[in-house]
């Protein structure tokens, strides 16, 4: 007489080790490293003419590092007269977050209006990247929320610290902090230059900006250089070259 098969054991019923643990680990590592940039932003923003509270408010409501650095960088080079160019440059860089939102909506759009607003607030480069690097949806959601929360809290705290440091130092240009925006922005950009197309666009945009800088008002060279990426994407130049 055949023996009945044994029922499930507690080990069989136990869920596998959740990938969410790895997502949390990735989130903390990325979040802490990214938040450190806030010190440079705070110091540079004060150097550009904003006060401590204006700087903190900017981090609170804008909360996208590339756009923030672009805004204060243009203000630092052109003053109040470059305000329009600074806003346009920051807005142009912020458009990428709309694309991230489209990609992340099916994954994180699982709650009411408050949850949706919070998700939109923390949809940035790092939260999107950590989420998409995970192996399942649960881990991806964990990575998205933890990364966004850690960076949001850390970025605002380090912004305050950097602004206070910059305010105490006085003329931050004497300490070389006027170059912080360019250095930090290059640090954010560098990991994205692994592909040939991205590298070619970066080189072309840099050449265009260099040529335009002595000719047009501060802030406009960045907008003019953005035309390089638009032209490459619109005409799909590199794909056409590969197919030829």
């Amino acid at each position: 007489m055949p023996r009945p098969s044994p029922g499930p054991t507690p080990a069989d019923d136990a869920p596998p080790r959740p990938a969410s643990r790895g997502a949390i680990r990735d989130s903390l590592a990325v979040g802490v490293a990214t938040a450190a940039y806030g010190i440079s932003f705070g110091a540079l923003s004060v150097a550009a003419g904003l006060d401590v509270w204006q700087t903190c408010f900017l981090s609170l409501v804008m909360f996208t590092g590339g756009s923030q650095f672009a805004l204060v960088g243009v203000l630092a080079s052109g003053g109040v007269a470059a305000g329009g160019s600074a806003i346009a440059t920051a807005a142009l860089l912020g458009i990428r977050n709309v694309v991230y939102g489209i990609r992340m909506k099916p994954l994180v759009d699982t709650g009411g209006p408050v949850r949706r607003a919070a998700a939109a607030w923390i949809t940035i480069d790092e939260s999107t990247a950590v989420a998409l690097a995970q192996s399942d949806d649960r881990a991806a959601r964990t990575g998205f929320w933890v990364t966004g929360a850690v960076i949001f809290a850390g970025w605002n705290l380090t912004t305050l610290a950097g602004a206070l440091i910059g305010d105490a130092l006085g003329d931050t240009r004497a300490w070389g902090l006027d170059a912080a925006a360019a250095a930090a922005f290059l640090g954010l950009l560098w990991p994205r230059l692994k592909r040939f197309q991205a590298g070619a666009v970066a080189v072309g945009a840099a050449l265009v900006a260099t040529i335009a800088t002595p000719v047009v008002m501060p802030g406009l060279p960045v907008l003019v250089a953005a035309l390089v990426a638009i032209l490459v994407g619109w005409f799909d130049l590199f794909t056409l070259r590969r197919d030829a």
Side-chain angles (χ1 to χ4, degrees):
M1 181 176 179
R3 297 176 59 187
S5 59
T9 65
D12 294 328
D13 288 338
R17 183 179 180 181
S20 299
R21 295 181 183 176
I24 293 174
R25 184 172 57 250
D26 293 344
S27 299
L28 293 176
V30 171
V32 171
T34 302
Y37 282 110
I39 296 176
S40 296
F41 169 73
L44 183 68
S45 179
V46 171
L50 300 180
D51 61 30
V52 173
W53 298 114
Q54 287 173 327
T55 298
C56 292
F57 182 75
L58 192 60
S59 276
L60 184 65
V61 300
M62 182 177 282
F63 188 54
T64 171
S67 296
Q68 290 179 238
F69 274 113
L71 178 67
V72 300
V74 173
L75 289 176
S77 62
V80 177
S85 298
I87 294 172
T89 302
L92 181 65
L93 290 172
I95 289 175
R96 72 192 190 282
N97 290 351
V98 176
V99 180
Y100 297 158
I102 295 172
R103 178 63 181 86
M104 297 304 298
K105 187 178 187 298
L107 187 66
V108 301
D109 187 11
T110 57
V114 174
R115 187 181 178 90
R116 291 174 182 173
W121 210 278
I122 63 171
T123 299
I124 55 176
D125 297 315
E126 293 78 12
S127 61
T128 302
V130 171
L132 296 181
Q134 305 309 312
S135 58
D136 59 64
D137 287 352
R138 179 182 178 184
R141 281 190 290 271
T142 299
F144 174 84
W145 286 106
V146 175
T147 302
V150 170
I151 294 179
F152 183 79
W155 182 266
N156 281 279
L157 289 174
T158 54
T159 293
L160 174 60
L164 293 174
I165 291 171
D167 194 46
L169 290 177
D171 186 5
T172 54
R173 291 174 296 180
W175 300 83
L177 293 179
D178 54 325
F185 197 74
L186 181 60
L188 293 171
L189 178 65
W190 190 261
R192 295 163 174 78
L193 300 181
K194 296 179 180 179
R195 296 183 178 181
F196 174 75
Q197 177 168 300
V201 169
V203 172
L207 289 175
V208 170
T210 301
I211 295 172
T213 296
V215 180
V216 300
M217 66 179 295
L220 289 181
V222 178
L223 300 179
V224 174
L227 294 175
V228 175
I230 295 173
L231 290 174
V232 170
W234 184 270
F235 293 104
D236 207 5
L237 298 179
F238 294 100
T239 299
L240 291 176
R241 178 175 295 181
R242 287 195 302 268
D243 294 341

